[in-house]
Amino acid sequence: MIVNLLRFAFRDGTSDEERAEVLAAMRRTATVESVSFSTVGQDLGDPAEGYTHVYCAAVEDLAALERYMYDPVHLEGDHLIIPRLARLSAVRFSDDPDPELAAKIVAMHLKKVATYPEWGALLNAIPDVQVA
């Protein structure tokens, strides 16, 4: 299992309606065929850290991760979601003992950026990003 956990906060000026649209898009993405389990909701961590919400999605393996990354629902949702984020912290973890798993995931990410450079530009426009 590969688990992707995102903590995030919205940009200043994001309306309640836009926040609801973003969370709905995240919930759609979190229910695509390749996702084994997911949750989207409030961040219960220390408010001083500046995160207000979380997105967590787990996939079975690298093949499922690739399907997830290129799923049309995911691709479409990102164009609505990403521009509204001010802060993003991404953590991935897995029960897969492959010592090369992290490198394989990074390679998949870089391939997606090469395939969709506008997606990479959207990610780079988030003011505060931390990837573990």
Side-chain angles (χ1 to χ4, degrees):
M1 193 70 56
I2 300 168
V3 180
N4 188 34
L5 175 65
L6 305 176
R7 297 174 73 200
F8 63 95
F10 290 102
R11 289 181 187 256
D12 289 341
T14 303
S15 70
D16 289 343
E17 182 178 291
E18 289 172 318
R19 289 173 191 246
E21 288 174 331
V22 166
L23 295 173
M26 287 181 160
R27 288 183 181 105
R28 283 190 299 276
T29 300
T31 59
V32 298
E33 165 275 329
S34 54
V35 174
S36 297
F37 65 86
S38 65
T39 191
V40 177
Q42 65 176 319
D43 183 276
L44 300 175
D46 182 353
E49 292 177 345
Y51 299 104
T52 58
H53 291 80
V54 295
Y55 172 93
C56 179
V59 296
E60 186 65 32
D61 52 25
L62 283 172
L65 179 60
E66 186 169 34
R67 291 193 313 276
Y68 169 76
M69 290 175 70
Y70 290 92
D71 190 292
V73 172
H74 191 177
L75 294 172
E76 181 182 322
D78 279 351
H79 290 284
L80 172 72
I81 297 164
I82 296 171
R84 291 181 172 81
L85 302 183
R87 300 193 75 208
L88 178 67
S89 172
V91 177
R92 292 181 191 94
F93 52 95
S94 179
D95 60 358
D96 183 333
D98 179 358
E100 299 300 317
L101 184 61
K104 291 174 183 176
I105 292 171
V106 168
M108 290 175 78
H109 170 80
L110 293 175
K111 179 182 174 188
K112 184 174 177 180
V113 169
T115 303
Y116 299 102
E118 71 281 0
W119 179 76
L122 283 174
L123 288 175
N124 287 335
I126 300 172
D128 183 3
V129 176
Q130 297 176 9
V131 178

